[in-house]
Amino acid sequence: MIVSLAVTLFTSAIAQLTIESDGAAASADSSSLQTRAQSQTPLQTQMRQLGELVSSLEASNAARQVLRDAVENAAGDEKAELELQLQEINQEIRETRSVIEQIAVGSVDLEAFDASSEELDWRTELTQVLLPVVQSLKRLTEKPRRIELLRTRISQATESKENAERAVENISEVLAVTESGPTQDALQALSQSWQLKAQEFSREISLSNVQLDNLLNNNEPLWVRIKDVLTSFFQGRGLTLVLALVVGCLVHYATKIIAKFFAKRQKGEAVTTFRTRRRIIHYGLQAARTLLILISVMLVFQMRGDILLLAIALLIGAGLVLSVRHMLPQFIDELKLLLNLGPIREDERVIYRGLPWKVTQLNLFSELSNPEITGGLRIPIKEMAGLTSRPAHDEPWFPSSENDYLVLSDDRLMKVKKQTPEHVLLENVGGAETMIPTAEFYSTVFENLSRNTTYQVTSVFGIGYSHQKDSVTRIPQQLKQAISSALSESDYAQHLISTNVELDYAGSSSLDFWIAVKMHSASASSYKKIKRLIQQICVETCTKEAWEIPFPQLTLHNS
């Protein structure tokens, strides 16, 4: 056997060293022995340790042989006790041989050659990890549990004492009416037995009450107990937590400095060339920062020897891994969005809740904006996953801007006072306000007089059929000249661009002329006034030229 061979070789070597140094060892005192031990080489120290272990092994073997002989000659309970001692000394011998072998082979790990160590029981490993947490929880609840245990013990002992006393009384009643001598002797023996039980229960109650009073009535002042607890905490686990916090902060700020360094290097590049690379570096550094902080905190816990905090940190890390595993598909989709590689991308156009928006920034809370709407939106990344954006070309973001003048489908002239993500506020000429939800307003059909540089005011005017021969050329020319002259002399002269009058269609009672006046958009607020002014000019021209205005038409304009 390898162990036996090693023991034999080292035993002979130790014996030789012992013979050579026997005289000096006999006269040296304890201080000289310590000095010599310090001056020994590592090999000499190793040989000395092996000699001591071999001597101990020989003594254990001799003691085992004695026990074996005693077990053969013993019987009954004594034999069982000796066999138990024999098992203990066998265990000591095995441990001693293992230590001798480990010293002999040096730094070689013997556990690697143990076949049983290859089997891994995850229940056992998990129990070892959770054991410090469970023990700490038990220590935290130890006092309440002991108090409850003592109270339960007192209650049970009191009940048992009462039963024992009742038994003694019953035996005494039977003894009083018993005349047989042997029966009396048996009953007296039973009475003494139950009296002893009652006394035992009484002592148990007294002892439990004393222990309960000691737990409930602590003579130390409260501030002393608080001081002891705080001192113990800040000298032990509190200091460990502070060190872990400091190390975590150092790692955090170190990675932050590295991130700033990369940001400075990319500052001069075009946004479109490094956006994706910047995001990969940014989120990669964030992930590395979190991992490094967790590892550094665990290292602090391990170096400080705080198994409880290390176990808690491992549980937190395991929880994070499990949560990430369940959320991995969603996490991958969101990661694509964050890296600007998904179906929705920055600086593109997206329709969200019925409105067009510009993707300003993709982040955990992405930002959407619209140049024509006051205020933007901050949307969680999970809501962005179902959207799709497209490049924004030269197209309007909204059909109106603030201070624009609109002609609604019911021919009302309204001014856009305010546009927000929730509503559009309109104001008419008289100052009355109308509020419309923004999504509903976006789908409304209206005419914007201010969006372009010009707009057109159209009107229809009817003249009787008695002037049919002049309806194609003369009447349109005279109406056009009259309208142009009147508008040129009005307050809107500088905004007038052109005038056009044409025969539109022959109605049931009149020849209707289409009148179109093109104006600069600066006069959009006077749209209704210009339209009324056109009708007034047409009536004045008909009166001057003696043109007949059909009765229904006249009634309509006079109403």
Side-chain angles (χ1 to χ4, degrees), residues 32-221:
S32 63
L33 286 174
Q34 183 177 3
T35 304
R36 188 184 64 181
Q38 294 177 352
S39 62
Q40 288 178 347
T41 63
L43 180 59
Q44 292 174 339
T45 303
Q46 183 180 10
M47 300 295 287
R48 178 177 54 81
Q49 293 174 349
L50 285 172
E52 295 173 356
L53 289 172
V54 169
S55 300
S56 176
L57 181 61
E58 292 176 351
S60 298
N61 286 328
R64 181 174 62 177
Q65 186 61 41
V66 173
L67 279 175
R68 286 176 176 174
D69 296 339
V71 168
E72 293 178 357
N73 300 325
D77 296 338
E78 183 181 1
K79 183 175 182 179
E81 184 178 354
L82 291 174
E83 288 178 348
L84 183 61
Q85 294 179 4
L86 184 61
Q87 293 177 2
E88 293 177 355
I89 199 169
N90 285 332
Q91 180 64 26
E92 292 179 0
I93 291 174
R94 284 193 295 269
E95 293 176 355
T96 303
R97 287 176 176 173
S98 177
V99 173
I100 291 174
E101 186 176 4
Q102 183 64 67
I103 295 176
V105 300
S107 60
V108 177
D109 187 7
L110 296 178
E111 293 183 358
F113 300 92
D114 188 4
S116 61
S117 63
E118 297 178 358
E119 300 179 358
L120 179 62
D121 187 358
W122 65 269
R123 295 183 180 86
T124 304
E125 299 296 331
L126 183 61
T127 302
Q128 292 179 356
V129 173
L130 296 178
L131 184 60
V133 180
V134 176
Q135 290 177 344
S136 299
L137 293 177
K138 288 178 64 177
R139 285 195 295 268
L140 289 175
T141 60
E142 181 179 4
K143 185 174 179 180
R145 286 188 293 105
R146 289 184 60 189
I147 292 174
E148 184 62 26
L149 178 62
L150 289 173
R151 287 174 175 171
T152 304
R153 186 180 299 170
I154 291 172
S155 177
Q156 294 176 349
T158 303
E159 183 178 358
S160 300
K161 178 185 175 184
E162 293 174 354
N163 293 332
E165 291 175 349
R166 192 179 302 112
V168 172
E169 293 176 359
N170 293 335
I171 293 173
S172 299
E173 292 176 358
V174 176
L175 186 62
V177 298
T178 301
E179 297 179 354
S180 174
T183 304
Q184 290 180 351
D185 294 339
L187 291 175
Q188 288 177 357
L190 286 175
S191 178
Q192 291 178 358
S193 174
W194 281 101
Q195 287 176 3
L196 291 174
K197 291 181 180 180
Q199 293 174 2
E200 183 180 352
F201 289 132
S202 179
R203 286 193 299 270
E204 184 178 354
I205 292 171
S206 301
L207 178 59
S208 299
N209 282 324
V210 171
Q211 294 175 347
L212 183 61
D213 291 338
N214 291 333
L215 288 175
L216 295 177
N217 302 321
N218 196 338
N219 296 326
E220 290 185 354

Side-chain angles (χ1 to χ4, degrees), residues 362-531:
L362 287 174
N363 211 324
L364 294 179
F365 285 91
S366 302
E367 295 181 4
L368 304 180
S369 63
N370 190 310
E372 302 292 350
I373 295 178
T374 302
L377 298 179
R378 188 164 51 248
I379 310 299
I381 190 65
K382 61 181 181 180
E383 290 192 22
M384 303 289 289
L387 302 178
T388 302
S389 64
R390 63 178 178 84
H393 301 290
D394 188 14
E395 54 186 309
W397 286 95
F398 206 68
S400 63
S401 304
E402 292 184 2
N403 299 319
D404 281 359
Y405 284 89
L406 314 177
V407 179
L408 303 183
S409 57
D410 55 0
D411 204 37
R412 288 184 300 165
L413 179 65
M414 306 293 284
K415 178 183 179 181
V416 180
K417 193 173 182 180
K418 194 170 186 180
Q419 297 181 151
T420 68
E422 290 81 20
H423 62 265
V424 175
L425 185 62
L426 304 178
E427 182 183 55
N428 63 12
V429 180
E433 294 181 346
T434 301
M435 186 177 293
I436 304 175
T438 307
E440 179 182 343
F441 177 81
Y442 182 72
S443 60
T444 302
V445 178
F446 54 83
E447 185 179 354
N448 191 334
L449 305 179
S450 304
R451 176 54 60 92
N452 295 322
T453 57
T454 63
Y455 69 94
Q456 185 171 268
V457 182
T458 59
S459 183
V460 176
F461 191 82
I463 298 178
Y465 274 96
S466 59
H467 309 287
Q468 181 177 348
K469 63 179 181 179
D470 299 326
S471 62
V472 177
T473 55
R474 181 171 175 268
I475 293 177
Q477 291 176 357
Q478 288 186 352
L479 286 176
K480 178 179 179 181
Q481 183 178 1
I483 293 171
S484 299
S485 300
L487 290 177
S488 299
E489 296 174 359
S490 67
D491 296 335
Y492 313 111
Q494 59 180 349
H495 303 299
L496 179 63
I497 297 176
S498 64
T499 304
N500 189 22
V501 179
E502 296 178 2
L503 177 63
D504 191 13
Y505 59 90
S508 59
S509 61
S510 64
L511 296 169
D512 295 332
F513 293 88
W514 174 76
I515 304 169
V517 178
K518 193 173 184 179
M519 306 289 293
H520 287 292
S521 58
S523 63
S525 59
S526 304
Y527 174 82
K528 285 290 186 180
K529 292 182 180 180
I530 296 173
K531 196 167 187 177

Side-chain angles (χ1 to χ4, degrees), residues 300-311:
V300 172
F301 293 159
Q302 184 180 11
M303 294 176 65
R304 291 281 298 173
D306 198 321
I307 305 301
L308 174 62
L309 293 179
L310 182 60

